[in-house]
Amino acid sequence: MTTLIDRYVFTVLRRVPEQQRTDIERELRTSIDDAVDARVGGGEAREAAVEAALLELGDPDRLADGYAGRPQYLIGPIFYPLWKRLLTTLLSIVLPAVVTIAVVIRVLQDATFGDVIGTVVGTTLTVGAHMVFWVTLTFALLDRAGVEKADLRRRAWTPDDLPRYEPGFLTPAQLWATVLWPVLMIAALVLQQFAFTEEPVLDPANWSFWWPYLIVVLILEGLYGVWVFRRGAWSHTVTAVNALLAVLFTAPVVWLAATEQFFNPEWIAGVDWGTQDPLRWLTGITITIAVAGAIYDIAEVAVRAERARRGLATPVPGTGREFTAPLS
Amino acid sequence: MTMDATLSGHLQELRRGTVVVASLTVLREPGYGYSLLETLSAAGFEVEANTLYPLLRRLESQGLLTSSWNTDEARPRKFYRTTEQGDAIAAALRGEWMRLDKAIGDLDTPDSGPGGDAADGTRDHTPGGTSSGSE
């Protein structure tokens, strides 16, 4: 486990210029040790002394700001992580969603294959540029106005706010993503029956078994996310459960698509892509996405679990330092 | 903004520069971060570690302090020492402090002051609640 002092020092170093890190780390660790020793000498328990010493040092972001000096940048260190995270989310999740919706609308308007490609490129560039510009402008203005992170958080920092930096833990954001994804999929699966199009996109005959089955598997995926979050560690059990869920979901989807039972024939009949056969394309795309997604998911979790099990050093993002997980 | 918050904001403003004077004065004898912190709080300066440690580095980069790592003991420590230039600046700052102390004392007891300023009635008594609370 990372000690509180490690977590504190890493948190400070993240926001300090790289060439000063080594010197600052040495001096800061000495200063903290001195403060802890003084408290221990005064009769405090070591653990309490560490906590009190860090609390006295206060918010590590403020300390790092002091070390780093005046801002000379568009997005300052206060907002840079938030700006980057927000843009990453927008560009990797919201933008594809917007593009998908735009494409679906074009397809439903009986667009040609060329129109669809044009919509993808046009929407990606226009919406992407708007996202980057407005987000950056907003953060630059916040930075210039001297807004601090504590203003947004509305409470004082405590040592418990320190990130854990351990590879085995899901962050709350990752938990949200793990839970939100199945919910969105279920919503899409149910809504396509009634909304979006005149004829349902997916074969309504499967409501007799396969669509309810997929909903159950998706609910299990959500529960899996909560389970991993509360467990707080990765292991081969997690790998196995995750792989099982991935197979339970992917295998029926691939089978349904391959045997032409996935899409609603009446909807396919209404789609006109000129010389292209929409069913062939959609089947190919569906199978590719399902298989690639499953393989990526299984491999990613397996690698994380194996790294955690072996206690391999994991880079702590943004510090240039590594954290070695304990063998468990 | 409550009265307490206003007061603590102004106290902080008032004390800000004093840590520089005190540090430059104390560090005529070499010292390291935590020892200086102890010395200053024993002397009655309310200084926080997360202000003092970055400040030491800033003063060093301004050439008012020099530093060297002392690795003789088990725990290597960065010792700071006031430079000649730092000493001169500290002297100037102490002079300014004396001047301000006298000036404020004079304002507080107008009768003893040379100007007889209570007579003209134009003194500005703006209350201190308009501080923008910087940082």
Side-chain angles (χ1 to χ4, degrees):
Chain A
M1 225 175 85
T2 40
T3 65
L4 268 186
I5 293 180
D6 286 336
R7 287 159 67 192
Y8 190 95
V9 171
F10 287 155
T11 306
V12 171
L13 289 181
R14 289 210 296 180
R15 294 155 50 81
V16 157
E18 198 180 340
Q19 64 273 20
Q20 292 181 34
R21 276 185 195 151
T22 308
D23 198 61
I24 287 177
E25 174 172 28
R26 260 175 103 189
E27 192 181 12
L28 183 57
R29 281 188 188 274
T30 310
S31 301
I32 294 173
D33 289 346
D34 283 340
V36 170
D37 285 359
R39 286 174 175 276
V40 170
E44 282 184 45
R46 204 183 147 73
E47 210 168 298
V50 168
E51 190 142 345
L54 292 183
L55 198 53
E56 206 172 63
L57 265 177
D59 191 333
D61 291 349
R62 250 196 76 200
L63 184 59
D65 284 350
Y67 281 133
R70 288 284 116 200
Q72 291 180 332
Y73 32 61
L74 185 61
I75 308 285
I78 295 175
F79 287 117
Y80 177 74
L82 202 56
W83 170 82
K84 194 175 156 194
R85 210 181 318 147
L86 188 59
L87 264 193
T88 311
T89 312
L90 283 174
L91 293 180
S92 64
I93 296 171
V94 180
L95 181 59
V98 172
V99 171
T100 309
I101 291 168
V103 166
V104 168
I105 290 171
R106 291 293 284 156
V107 169
L108 302 180
Q109 291 166 344
D110 290 344
T112 66
F113 193 71
D115 286 341
V116 172
I117 299 294
T119 305
V120 170
V121 175
T123 314
T124 305
L125 290 179
T126 316
V127 177
H130 270 287
M131 284 174 170
V132 174
F133 176 76
W134 291 110
V135 169
T136 307
L137 182 68
T138 307
F139 278 110
L141 289 177
L142 278 179
D143 208 303
R144 294 298 173 276
V147 178
E148 297 256 350
K149 218 164 80 186
D151 297 338
L152 303 178
R153 200 161 46 193
R154 290 175 180 283
R155 65 181 177 81
W157 176 90
T158 70
D160 277 341
D161 287 337
L162 289 168
R164 299 194 73 99
Y165 297 116
E166 290 166 42
F169 282 86
L170 281 187
T171 63
Q174 285 171 318
L175 171 66
W176 269 106
T178 323
V179 173
L180 198 63
W181 174 244
V183 171
L184 287 177
M185 289 283 279
I186 292 172
L189 186 56
V190 173
L191 284 177
Q192 60 82 30
Q193 177 71 27
F194 310 105
F196 304 152
T197 49
E198 270 177 47
E199 294 292 342
V201 175
L202 303 181
D203 196 341
N206 287 331
W207 280 111
S208 61
F209 177 73
W210 286 112
W211 301 149
Y213 163 84
L214 288 183
I215 289 177
V216 170
V217 175
L218 285 168
I219 291 172
L220 289 176
E221 297 250 14
L223 294 176
Y224 156 83
V226 177
W227 174 65
V228 172
F229 179 73
R230 294 182 57 155
R231 194 182 149 89
W234 297 82
S235 68
H236 286 316
T237 318
V238 176
T239 310
V241 171
N242 178 62
L244 179 69
L245 284 171
V247 170
L248 284 179
F249 185 85
T250 311
V253 168
V254 170
W255 177 72
L256 287 170
T259 54
E260 303 195 353
Q261 300 175 65
F262 191 75
F263 291 102
N264 184 3
E266 289 174 36
W267 175 71
I268 292 285
V271 178
D272 178 16
W273 281 359
T275 56
Q276 306 289 338
D277 176 11
L279 183 58
R280 234 189 78 222
W281 273 94
L282 289 170
T283 300
I285 291 170
T286 306
I287 293 178
T288 310
I289 291 177
V291 171
I295 290 174
Y296 174 80
D297 181 36
I298 293 172
E300 202 241 344
V301 171
V303 168
R304 281 183 74 156
E306 185 58 20
R307 289 189 73 89
R309 194 187 65 81
R310 287 196 199 165
L312 291 181
T314 310
V316 179
T319 64
R321 297 293 184 276
E322 288 191 332
F323 167 69
T324 306
L327 290 167
S328 55
Chain B
M1 201 183 232
T2 66
M3 212 41 216
D4 276 354
T6 311
L7 177 62
S8 81
H10 285 295
L11 283 175
Q12 205 183 341
E13 289 285 323
L14 205 54
R15 288 170 186 153
R16 184 158 293 160
T18 61
V19 180
V20 173
V21 192
S23 299
L24 290 175
T25 307
V26 171
L27 288 176
R28 287 184 289 199
E29 295 295 318
Y32 54 92
Y34 187 75
S35 73
L36 178 62
L37 192 68
E38 292 283 87
T39 309
L40 290 183
S41 46
F45 288 90
E46 289 191 30
V47 51
E48 286 174 20
N50 69 2
T51 316
L52 184 67
Y53 296 157
L55 176 71
L56 289 175
R57 302 185 78 89
R58 199 154 65 241
L59 292 176
E60 186 190 4
S61 74
Q62 290 172 346
L64 308 186
L65 294 176
T66 57
S67 75
S68 59
W69 280 92
N70 182 336
T71 50
D72 295 346
E73 291 172 57
R75 187 173 290 165
R77 290 201 174 88
K78 194 177 186 183
F79 276 77
Y80 293 92
R81 187 196 185 104
T82 308
T83 62
E84 223 168 59
Q85 193 193 352
D87 211 24
I89 286 200
L93 291 174
R94 281 195 301 272
E96 176 68 5
W97 181 261
M98 304 290 189
R99 193 187 68 74
L100 285 173
D101 180 55
K102 183 177 178 303
I104 287 176
D106 289 350
L107 282 181
D108 201 30
T109 52
D111 291 346
S112 65
D117 53 344
D120 63 19
T122 59
R123 272 172 56 197
D124 191 359
H125 281 282
T126 311
T130 53
S131 158
S132 60
S134 65
E135 292 185 309

